[in-house]
């Protein structure tokens, strides 16, 4: 294997998704010589098959709902249906613009970009396109792909993954969504807005089970109101083809039929056949194991993003990639507090949170040391104008800091920035209460909730 690189790179990165390209950009900014290897397109899952395209579909669905409901606001409008070719043109235009910008950014930083399928060939080298790229350090950032279950074959036609769902040329008349986590509820929400009859199947007791139970119950109530059906607490058993679609059978004996079955049970790491085990990298169920500084057990190899068992979020990948780049450049780095990472599910209504759930806070601090407060968005003027329902729930250590903020309602994802600051700065309710929040905004609800928790409620009852 020839090494055509004129020098040994400071950092060779395998994978150009969120974690990989963030590490490349920051490392080059800090003066390191970087090679970035990507088999498809820089930007990875988030830009091309995840965050960006799904949110574009959800926004198109939001516009469809607004057209249907315009009379409630005194606006005469008609809804004539969904033009999927037009939706895809809009979605792909968003992706294309961001992709071109990212390509330009990579080029401007003088990063050596290599397009091709790479493989780790040693603790200090990656082989791709018949060439060997040597690095003083290697960063593994090969991401993830949609998962399935044993015996459940994704055919791309009737039984589809989220990748297939993003490219459907039609609006399915009916759909079963297997999995009530973030991916499942987002697609269910978008399809319902497009006019699909949707049923979600979730084996755990609640939708978005990683969220606070109060948020899950509010979302379930909102989905019932929208006509999105769901089955909770019984696991998938089998799927069979019917004359016109798919039949799903559950362990409790219930059966559901639909035109398509979307398998949305999460994403698994891309690590097989890439030379990781041969190089001695410690693994667990396909994930690469790394410490709080994203270091593997091999001193010259780090790993970030969906490849390691941390939160599968693009902004987590960014943060991990930056952490690795700064550590290699000799800067002082601080481990990521994953509880302090903002989380948003972009369904209608949105679910957003940061910090500990109430149940988790009670485990950590003791049930008698935790208090919570719920502020209903019915008391918020801007939310009334938008006709959205929901609440902001605060979880506090008694007489101490706010350790969890949990929100349900349209546009709540835009409020999670302040929530992140409140959690990460260990703010007391009284400290947030003294800040003046603009009126009328939904952000004002954050201030009102803290006023109430501080014992001086304004637009809410004691």
């Amino acid at each position: 294997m020839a090494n055509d690189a004129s020098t040994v790179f400071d950092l060779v990165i395998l994978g150009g998704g969120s974690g990989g390209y963030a590490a490349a950009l920051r490392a080059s900014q800090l003066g390191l010589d970087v090679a970035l290897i990507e088999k498809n397109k820089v930007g990875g899952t988030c830009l091309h098959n995840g965050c960006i395209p799904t949110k574009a579909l959800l926004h198109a669905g939001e516009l469809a709902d607004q057209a249907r409901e315009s009379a409630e606001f005194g606006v005469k409008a008609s809804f004539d249906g969904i033009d999927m070719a037009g939706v895809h043109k809009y979605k792909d235009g968003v992706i294309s613009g961001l992709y071109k910008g990212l390509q330009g950014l990579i080029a401007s930083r003088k990063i050596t970009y290599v397009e091709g399928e790479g493989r780790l060939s040693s603790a200090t080298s990656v082989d791709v396109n018949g060439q060997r790229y040597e690095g003083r350090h290697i960063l593994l950032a090969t991401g993830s792909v949609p998962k399935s279950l044993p015996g459940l074959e994704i055919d791309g036609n009737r039984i589809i993954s989220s990748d297939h769902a993003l490219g459907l040329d039609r609006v399915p008349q009916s759909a079963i969504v297997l999995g009530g986590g973030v991916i499942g509820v987002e697609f269910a929400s978008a399809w319902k807005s497009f006019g699909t009859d949707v049923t979600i199947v979730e084996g755990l007791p609640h939708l978005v089970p990683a969220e606070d139970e109060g948020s899950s119950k509010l979302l379930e109530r909102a989905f019932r109101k929208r006509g999105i059906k769901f089955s909770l607490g019984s696991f998938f058993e089998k799927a069979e083809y019917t004359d016109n679609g798919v039949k799903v059978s559950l362990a409790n004996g219930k059966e559901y039929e639909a035109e398509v079955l979307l398998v949305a049970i999460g994403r698994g790491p891309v690590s097989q056949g890439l030379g990781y085990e041969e190089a001695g990298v410690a693994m667990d169920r396909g994930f690469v194991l790394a410490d709080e500084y994203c270091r593997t057990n091999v001193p010259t190899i780090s790993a970030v993003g969906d490849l390691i068992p941390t939160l599968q979020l693009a902004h987590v990948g960014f943060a991990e990639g930056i952490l690795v780049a700064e550590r290699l450049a000799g800067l002082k780095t601080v481990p990521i507090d994953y509880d302090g990472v903002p989380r948003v599910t972009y369904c209608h209504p949105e679910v957003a949170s940061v910090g500990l759930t109430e149940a988790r806070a009670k485990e950590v601090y003791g049930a008698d040391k935790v208090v919570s407060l719920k502020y209903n968005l019915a008391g918020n003027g801007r939310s009334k104008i938008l006709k959205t329902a929901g609440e902001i729930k605060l979880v506090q250590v008694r007489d101490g800091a706010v350790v969890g903020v949990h929100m349900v309602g349209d546009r709540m994802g835009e409020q999670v920035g302040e929530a992140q600051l409140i959690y990460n700065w260990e703010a007391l309710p009284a400290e947030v209460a003294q800040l003046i929040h603009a009126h009328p905004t939904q952000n004002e609800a954050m201030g009102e909730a803290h006023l109430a928790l501080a014992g001086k409620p304004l637009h809410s009852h004691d």
Side-chain angles (χ1 to χ4, degrees):
M1 181 75 65
N3 180 13
D4 291 341
S6 58
T7 61
V8 175
F9 291 93
D10 294 312
L11 178 60
V12 175
I13 303 170
L14 183 55
S18 301
Y21 85 69
L25 292 173
R26 183 61 176 137
S28 66
Q29 192 177 54
L30 292 170
L32 302 185
D33 192 15
V34 181
L36 178 62
I37 299 163
E38 168 57 47
K39 67 177 181 179
N40 291 321
K41 294 179 178 180
V42 68
T45 295
C46 172
L47 178 54
H48 301 286
N49 299 102
C51 316
I52 300 301
T54 55
K55 279 53 177 180
L57 290 185
L58 283 157
H59 183 60
E62 181 184 0
L63 293 177
D65 287 333
Q66 288 176 347
R68 290 188 189 96
E69 299 161 5
S70 63
E72 295 181 24
F73 302 89
V75 176
K76 294 181 179 180
S78 61
F79 174 70
D80 300 324
I82 301 293
D83 171 17
M84 281 309 298
V87 170
H88 288 311
K89 181 179 179 182
Y90 151 67
K91 167 179 66 71
D92 295 342
V94 173
I95 295 169
S96 177
L98 291 170
Y99 178 48
K100 288 176 182 176
L102 184 54
Q103 287 176 303
L105 193 57
I106 295 289
S108 72
R109 297 283 174 87
K110 296 182 171 53
I111 295 164
T112 300
Y113 182 70
V114 183
E115 191 171 315
E117 189 163 357
R119 186 179 189 277
L120 187 67
S121 48
S122 76
T124 56
S125 65
V126 174
D127 293 346
V128 57
N129 299 335
Q131 296 181 21
R132 175 158 293 169
Y133 291 82
E134 297 278 354
R136 294 182 180 87
H137 202 88
I138 304 294
L139 176 60
L140 307 178
T142 44
S144 63
V145 290
K147 289 195 301 187
S148 189
L149 295 170
L152 180 57
E153 183 179 349
I154 296 176
D155 60 23
N157 182 19
R158 299 188 192 185
I159 303 176
I160 63 176
S161 70
S162 55
D163 288 352
H164 301 118
L166 287 169
L168 279 183
D169 60 359
R170 69 192 190 283
V171 176
Q173 288 191 342
S174 58
I176 298 167
V177 177
L178 181 58
V182 174
I183 297 170
V185 300
E186 286 188 350
F187 273 101
S189 184
W191 275 342
K192 182 62 181 179
S193 296
F194 287 173
T196 303
D197 181 18
V198 182
T199 301
I200 304 171
V201 172
E202 170 57 54
L204 295 176
H206 290 290
L207 296 179
V208 287
E211 294 292 340
D212 189 87
E213 187 174 327
S215 295
S216 295
K217 289 179 177 179
L218 283 171
L219 181 63
E220 290 160 13
R221 184 187 307 166
F223 271 19
R224 287 190 194 98
K225 189 174 180 180
R226 291 186 63 195
I228 298 174
K229 299 182 286 291
F230 47 87
S231 169
L232 304 173
S234 184
F235 286 97
F236 169 87
E237 196 167 77
K238 63 179 179 178
E240 305 168 274
Y241 291 153
T242 64
D243 291 341
N244 301 309
V246 183
K247 180 171 72 173
V248 169
S249 302
L250 304 186
N252 63 3
K254 290 185 178 179
E255 295 179 342
Y256 299 93
E257 293 190 28
E259 180 184 332
V260 296
L261 167 62
L262 170 62
V263 181
I265 59 169
R267 300 180 64 87
V270 175
S271 59
Q272 285 190 338
L274 295 178
Y276 297 171
E277 294 94 336
E278 291 87 336
V281 176
M283 314 268 296
D284 180 32
R285 294 171 294 119
F287 289 101
V288 169
L289 299 180
D291 68 8
E292 68 271 27
Y293 292 98
C294 299
R295 298 175 298 200
T296 72
N297 63 309
V298 180
T300 54
I301 299 176
S302 296
V304 297
D306 290 0
L307 183 61
I308 64 176
T310 55
L311 292 171
Q312 291 185 327
L313 298 169
H315 44 288
V316 167
F318 295 149
E320 290 170 344
I322 291 168
L323 185 153
V324 169
E326 293 184 347
R327 172 168 57 78
L328 295 178
L331 301 185
K332 183 180 179 181
T333 55
V334 177
I336 296 166
D337 175 4
Y338 290 99
D339 288 329
V341 171
R343 307 172 293 269
V344 185
T345 304
Y346 294 87
C347 50
H348 169 50
E350 290 182 353
V351 180
S353 64
V354 66
L356 307 181
T357 65
E358 184 174 2
R360 178 62 181 148
K362 288 178 178 178
E363 289 177 11
V364 173
Y365 299 103
D368 60 330
K369 297 288 199 306
V370 173
V371 296
S372 65
L373 178 136
K374 297 178 181 179
Y375 180 82
N376 197 307
L377 292 183
N380 176 254
R382 183 64 173 162
S383 296
K384 293 286 280 188
I385 290 167
L386 295 171
K387 287 187 174 290
T388 186
E391 70 180 24
I392 293 179
K393 176 180 178 178
L394 306 178
V395 179
Q396 178 200 14
V397 176
R398 189 180 300 277
D399 300 323
V402 172
V403 295
V405 181
H406 306 276
M407 303 175 283
V408 177
D410 289 344
R411 306 188 186 184
M412 285 297 104
E414 303 303 322
Q415 308 308 319
V416 82
E418 184 179 6
Q420 176 185 213
L421 294 178
I422 291 166
Y423 171 86
N424 284 288
W425 284 349
E426 300 180 351
L428 301 175
E431 292 173 328
V432 182
Q434 70 184 6
L435 302 175
I436 298 173
H437 293 74
H439 173 80
T441 63
Q442 287 184 293
N443 181 241
E444 188 179 14
M446 186 73 73
E448 294 271 358
H450 283 83
L451 279 166
L453 192 55
K456 49 180 185 179
L458 185 59
H459 293 100
S460 61
H461 297 288
D462 291 331

